[in-house]
């Protein structure tokens, strides 16, 4: 067993300790900072334009201090006028200056206020809209898929399940990195930033209402802690976990995982098969890549197939799932197929046709 001690686990938790929050997928047109900067430049342009208008017509204004209006006085007047402060020390006295105030400076004042106040209102509106979307998302999320870790393994797992017909909005990604969550939301998935070993983070991902959970972190000890926490929160979900070391697989099973995939071992076996037979390696890679070429799927036995042997079906049957047992197609104990059986078959992938996999977890002994 190659798990670090409690001190190492605590250090890892401290490193990944961030404010856990939910991020829903959305199309960002422009960065907020850039929007604010653009509006400030627009407000500055309005201020400069107003000052220039006043300066050009400076003979129509009176300054109580010295009677004349220079460029500084023009900017001063534009500032106090657009901000509706209005000290009254610089005032329009001629008819032309007053008409300019009515038809030009007053609309500029309104535009100036709209730019500044509108920015604040937009921020508040955006927060309210985001909060409403988040509450609505939580209330409607059911039977979804939670993916812990969105690295190479997690991303490939999501692509595979989505290729079978699962909607992108039904996938919730949990990862301590905000950049990783941004990448997940850009692909149309919801994301939760935080350490998945903490129960409050998994609760934000609504893991207690999830149908299936994919555990694919970078470390085996993290996978064990996440699996334990997820199984405690959800007793009925199917949990599939990935580990690097083969000897850690039994611990994942004891922690509550329904299936454990050893990433290094699986890659090594595929490499060995490709060395012995490159064609066989290509076929195996095709089988595990959903949506193209040949697909390996699980489906129920239809009524027309009941009472037949696996070889008498139209599809190429690889195994038969009966109860909690997975039997080979040539296992004599199968006898004939029953309506309660499920078949693992190889089919030709058809573009646009998706076969949703069965997501009921197999009973554990």
């Amino acid at each position: 067993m190659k798990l670090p001690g409690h001190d190492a686990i605590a250090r890892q938790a401290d490193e990944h300790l961030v404010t856990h929050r939910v991020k829903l997928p959305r199309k960002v047109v422009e960065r907020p900072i850039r929007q604010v900067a653009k509006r400030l430049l627009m407000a500055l342009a309005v201020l400069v334009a107003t000052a220039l208008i006043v300066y050009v017509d400076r003979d129509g204004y009176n300054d109580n201090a010295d009677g004349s209006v220079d460029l500084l006085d023009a900017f001063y007047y534009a500032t106090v006028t657009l901000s509706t402060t209005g000290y009254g020390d610089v005032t329009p006295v001629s008819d032309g200056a007053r008409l300019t105030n009515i038809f030009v400076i007053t609309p500029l004042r309104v535009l100036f206020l709209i730019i500044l106040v509108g920015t604040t209102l937009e921020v508040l509106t955006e927060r309210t809209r985001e909060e409403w979307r988040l509450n609505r998302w939580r209330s409607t999320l059911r039977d979804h898929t939670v993916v812990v870790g969105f690295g190479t393994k997690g991303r490939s797992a999501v692509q595979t399940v989505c290729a079978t017909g699962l909607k992108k909005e039904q996938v919730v990604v949990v990862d301590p990195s905000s950049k990783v969550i941004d990448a997940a939301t850009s692909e149309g998935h919801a994301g939760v930033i935080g350490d998945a070993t903490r129960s409050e983070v998994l609760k934000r991902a609504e893991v207690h209402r999830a149908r299936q959970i994919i555990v694919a972190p970078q470390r085996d000890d993290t996978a064990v802690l996440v699996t334990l926490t997820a199984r405690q929160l959800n007793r009925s979900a199917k949990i599939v976990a990935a580990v690097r070391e083969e000897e850690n697989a039994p611990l994942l099973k004891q922690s509550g995982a329904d299936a454990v995939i050893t990433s290094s071992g699986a890659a090594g076996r595929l490499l060995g098969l490709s060395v012995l037979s490159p064609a066989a390696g290509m076929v195996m890679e095709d089988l595990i890549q959903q949506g193209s070429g040949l697909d390996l799927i699980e489906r129920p036995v239809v009524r027309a197939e009941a009472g037949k042997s696996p070889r008498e079906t139209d599809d190429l049957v690889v195994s038969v799932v009966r109860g909690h047992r997975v039997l080979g197609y040539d296992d004599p104990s199968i006898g004939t197929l029953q309506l309660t059986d499920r078949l693992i078959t190889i089919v030709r992938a058809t573009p646009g046709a998706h076969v949703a996999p069965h997501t009921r977890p197999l009973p554990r002994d």
Side-chain angles (χ1 to χ4, degrees), residues 3-25:
L3 293 180
H6 294 290
D7 294 339
I9 297 175
R11 285 197 301 270
Q12 181 197 9
D14 292 338
E15 291 173 358
H16 297 304
L17 185 58
V18 296
T19 303
H20 44 272
R21 53 194 175 93
V22 179
K23 295 186 69 175
L24 300 181

Side-chain angles (χ1 to χ4, degrees), residues 42-349:
M42 292 173 59
L44 182 61
V46 172
L47 177 63
V48 173
T50 305
L52 292 178
I53 292 173
V54 173
Y55 182 72
V56 170
D57 194 23
R58 57 188 178 277
D59 293 338
Y61 290 81
N62 179 60
D63 186 356
N64 294 336
D66 55 11
S68 63
V69 176
D70 55 15
L71 184 59
L72 178 59
D73 294 331
F75 272 95
Y76 170 75
Y77 175 78
T79 303
V80 298
T81 300
L82 294 181
S83 63
T84 68
T85 304
Y87 293 116
D89 47 354
V90 179
T91 58
V93 293
S94 67
D95 292 341
R98 290 178 177 178
L99 287 174
T100 302
N101 265 263
I102 294 174
F103 294 108
V104 180
I105 295 181
T106 298
L108 289 175
R109 180 189 300 118
V110 174
L111 177 61
F112 185 83
L113 293 176
I114 289 176
I115 292 173
L116 295 185
V117 177
T119 301
T120 303
L121 291 177
E122 183 175 350
V123 171
L124 294 176
T125 303
E126 180 64 23
R127 288 181 180 178
T128 303
R129 186 187 302 116
E130 193 67 20
E131 187 68 22
W132 179 82
R133 289 185 64 210
L134 185 58
N135 292 334
R136 184 174 179 271
W137 172 78
R138 283 197 176 115
S139 63
T140 57
L141 194 63
R142 295 288 189 283
D143 296 334
H144 57 289
T145 299
V146 176
V147 181
V148 178
F150 202 62
T152 303
K153 293 178 291 186
R155 192 186 300 266
S156 299
V158 170
Q159 292 174 352
T160 300
V161 295
C162 288
T164 62
L166 184 68
K167 296 180 179 180
K168 290 185 176 181
E169 55 268 25
Q170 284 294 104
V171 176
V172 181
V173 177
V174 182
D175 199 280
S177 172
S178 59
K179 292 183 179 180
V180 172
I181 295 300
D182 288 339
T185 55
S186 66
E187 296 182 14
H189 312 302
V192 177
I193 304 174
D195 184 0
T197 61
R198 302 169 64 90
S199 59
E200 59 266 28
V201 175
L202 291 181
K203 287 179 180 178
R204 284 184 175 269
E206 303 295 322
V207 74
H208 52 284
R209 296 190 292 191
R211 176 176 292 183
Q212 48 201 12
I213 303 168
I214 299 174
V215 182
Q218 298 296 326
R219 297 165 56 105
D220 287 3
D221 58 328
T222 303
V224 172
L225 293 176
V226 171
T227 302
L228 281 169
T229 307
R231 180 55 72 194
Q232 183 181 17
L233 295 174
N234 192 327
R235 296 290 183 181
S236 60
K238 174 188 286 185
I239 299 180
V240 179
V243 292
R244 291 177 178 270
E245 302 295 335
E246 188 82 37
E247 59 190 62
N248 293 335
L251 183 58
L252 263 296
K253 287 282 187 73
Q254 296 175 10
S255 301
D258 297 287
V260 179
I261 306 299
T262 306
S263 56
S264 57
R269 284 188 287 270
L270 185 57
L271 284 173
L273 179 62
S274 298
V275 169
L276 297 175
S277 173
M282 292 176 59
V283 172
M284 285 300 302
E285 189 173 359
D286 184 20
L287 286 175
I288 62 178
Q289 185 175 357
Q290 291 287 326
S292 63
L294 298 175
D295 280 353
L296 190 66
I297 67 169
E298 180 182 342
R299 65 170 180 84
V301 173
V302 298
R303 189 172 298 276
E305 295 172 333
K308 295 182 179 179
S309 67
R311 295 186 177 183
E312 293 175 331
T313 61
D314 294 333
D315 292 339
L316 180 59
V317 177
V318 178
S319 299
V320 177
V321 181
R322 177 169 294 172
H324 65 280
R325 297 183 301 164
V326 179
L327 307 174
Y329 72 94
D330 57 348
D331 194 317
S333 63
I334 295 177
T336 57
L337 297 177
Q338 304 173 9
L339 286 176
T340 55
D341 293 339
R342 297 189 64 84
L343 302 179
I344 299 178
T345 66
I346 297 177
V347 298
R348 172 67 62 180

